[in-house]
Amino acid sequence: MDLKYLFNSLVTAVVVIDNNLKLCFANAAAEQLLGVSSHRLTEHFLIDYVQILGVNLDLLTNSIKDNQGLTVNTASLVTLDSQHHTVDLTLTPLEQNQGLALLELRQVDQQRRIHQQLTLDAQQQAAQYLVRNLAHEIKNPLGGLRGAAQLLSRELHDPQLNEFTDLIIEQADRLRNLVDRLLGPQKPTQHSPHNIHQVIQKVLNLVTMELPPNILLEQDYDPSIPDIQMDPEQLQQAILNIVQNAVQALDIQGGKILIKTRTQHQITIGKDRHKIVLALSVIDNGPGIQAELLDTLFYPTVTSRDNGSGLGLSISHNFARLHGGRIDCQSTSNRTEFTILLPIEHK
């Protein structure tokens, strides 16, 4: 049996390293994870192809020298292209080849994201149920308040007094609109095939009208992405909310926002496995999101800004959900990436 073919058939990234951490072999999954061809990988050291590896390198070296196995769970891995991963790392010394070891890097990002998404969906459904009941209790007296103000306005003949009733009506309408935004659509609307890049361009047309001069917008598209079934207005709003957040994050210091489209394969969203999905990323080099907000980022009213409503990301998440997709977020200092994942294939 051809061992190289066997290793290249594995979905786990596997490399062979010596006690200086020089790469001697890399399978296809390792190429994909590190974003480098096996030919280039085997010319250099492991540290040359990662920005961050959440394990002490001396520990790896000593384990190989001492012929001892090593396992590290949920280690952080940041590749040269700034992709963040969480991996289970297993080092197995090769007894017949002293000074060499098999290093397995098994990505657990998917499992963590699936768990996080299922938890988030359950919590958001509970929050939506609470909000719907609360909205019912608010709308009834609010409608009565607005109606009473209208009736009172007709009986008043002093324009100065009418200003107060107009203010009551205006604020009642504002509260009603806020409640409607909190509720949002709960069921999928009519979907039809559309080009995602045309939708993005409409967003950019809106954003660039008020874009500060110290912020640069860049685009990196995969033109081969086919049309997908969507409600273009919902996705336009979802993308717009994320891009506007990036603009606000860069408002003071300035910086760059990159909008990138790619395809990803064999992605699980919720409980469904998809052969191919659209990955639409909005990446900025701003200060990053506070770590304590990351787990609750898509909840209604959660925001780090004093004047923010905290509804934008919640609405975007709901629109992605109504399209059978999800939104992932990774954030560190100087890099925040929101990725909207949407199924491409038809069920």
Side-chain angles (χ1 to χ4, degrees):
M1 181 180 292
D2 186 346
L3 289 179
K4 183 177 180 181
Y5 174 80
L6 184 64
F7 277 116
N8 284 333
S9 300
L10 297 175
V11 295
T12 299
V14 176
V15 297
V16 175
I17 55 177
D18 63 17
N19 52 20
N20 293 315
L21 304 188
K22 186 177 187 298
L23 293 155
C24 306
F25 170 81
N27 71 346
E31 291 181 350
Q32 185 172 358
L33 176 62
L34 299 175
V36 183
S37 69
S38 62
H39 176 70
R40 287 183 57 196
L41 282 172
T42 52
E43 293 177 347
H44 298 278
F45 297 87
L46 178 63
I47 194 60
D48 294 333
Y49 293 105
V50 296
Q51 294 185 37
I52 297 173
L53 182 61
V55 60
N56 190 309
L57 297 180
D58 290 336
L59 186 61
L60 293 178
T61 300
N62 292 333
S63 295
I64 299 172
K65 289 179 179 178
D66 297 337
N67 207 38
Q68 296 291 324
L70 175 68
T71 299
V72 179
N73 292 324
T74 61
S76 296
L77 171 68
V78 181
T79 53
L80 292 183
D81 56 357
S82 298
Q83 294 298 311
H84 293 246
H85 303 281
T86 303
V87 297
D88 286 345
L89 182 150
T90 303
L91 182 77
T92 306
L94 300 177
E95 295 182 2
Q96 296 179 349
N97 298 85
Q98 191 67 30
L100 295 179
L102 198 71
L103 180 64
E104 301 173 59
L105 301 167
R106 186 170 66 88
Q107 289 182 255
V108 293
D109 308 71
Q110 282 279 38
Q111 292 90 325
R112 294 185 66 199
R113 286 171 181 166
I114 291 169
H115 174 73
Q116 289 172 347
Q117 185 190 0
L118 292 175
T119 302
L120 176 61
D121 287 347
Q123 291 173 335
Q124 282 212 325
Q125 286 178 10
Q128 288 288 352
Y129 178 76
L130 177 63
V131 168
R132 280 197 295 272
N133 287 316
L134 182 61
H136 179 73
E137 296 299 322
I138 291 175
K139 280 188 173 182
N140 285 340
L142 202 57
L145 183 67
R146 190 184 192 283
Q150 286 179 315
L151 292 174
L152 181 60
S153 177
R154 294 171 187 171
E155 299 298 323
L156 297 175
H157 302 291
D158 186 345
Q160 291 185 337
L161 295 177
N162 283 120
E163 288 182 11
F164 293 109
T165 56
D166 289 343
L167 180 62
I168 294 172
I169 293 171
E170 178 186 329
Q171 293 303 308
D173 289 340
R174 188 182 69 82
L175 285 174
R176 184 181 180 88
N177 289 335
L178 177 61
V179 170
D180 288 339
R181 288 182 64 200
L182 276 169
L183 288 172
Q186 301 303 310
K187 296 181 179 179
T189 52
Q190 186 68 38
H191 291 183
S192 55
H194 290 274
N195 185 288
I196 190 63
H197 299 124
Q198 293 178 355
V199 175
I200 296 173
Q201 191 55 49
K202 290 182 180 180
V203 171
L204 297 183
N205 291 342
L206 292 171
V207 171
T208 50
M209 288 191 294
E210 299 181 354
L211 190 69
N214 61 345
I215 297 177
L216 177 66
L217 274 175
E218 293 186 355
Q219 298 138 57
D220 180 7
Y221 297 157
D222 178 355
S224 67
I225 294 175
D227 291 355
I228 63 174
Q229 295 286 333
M230 69 170 79
D231 179 329
E233 292 187 2
Q234 286 187 352
L235 284 188
Q236 180 179 325
Q237 187 63 52
I239 300 166
L240 178 62
N241 291 343
I242 295 173
V243 174
Q244 285 179 332
N245 276 8
V247 171
Q248 290 163 355
L250 297 172
D251 188 37
I252 298 176
Q253 68 181 50
K256 182 176 70 174
I257 299 173
L258 171 64
I259 301 178
K260 181 173 71 174
T261 59
R262 292 292 188 271
T263 56
Q264 294 184 8
H265 300 268
Q266 301 300 332
I267 300 298
T268 300
I269 300 177
K271 297 179 181 178
D272 297 324
R273 183 82 167 174
H274 300 279
K275 292 181 180 178
I276 181 170
V277 301
L278 159 71
L280 191 165
S281 299
V282 178
I283 306 166
D284 70 72
N285 61 349
I289 298 170
Q290 300 168 24
E292 59 269 23
L293 289 181
L294 283 174
D295 289 338
T296 58
L297 202 56
F298 297 104
Y299 292 176
T301 72
V302 172
T303 179
S304 60
R305 299 194 309 275
D306 294 337
N307 60 345
S309 67
L311 296 180
L313 290 178
S314 176
I315 291 170
S316 295
H317 176 271
N318 189 42
F319 285 157
R321 180 183 63 82
L322 293 174
H323 284 75
R326 75 167 191 244
I327 303 180
D328 293 337
C329 175
Q330 295 178 337
S331 184
T332 57
S333 179
N334 298 322
R335 180 182 173 89
T336 296
E337 179 174 355
F338 284 90
T339 301
I340 302 176
L341 297 173
L342 299 172
I344 290 180
E345 81 278 9
H346 303 295
K347 290 188 177 180

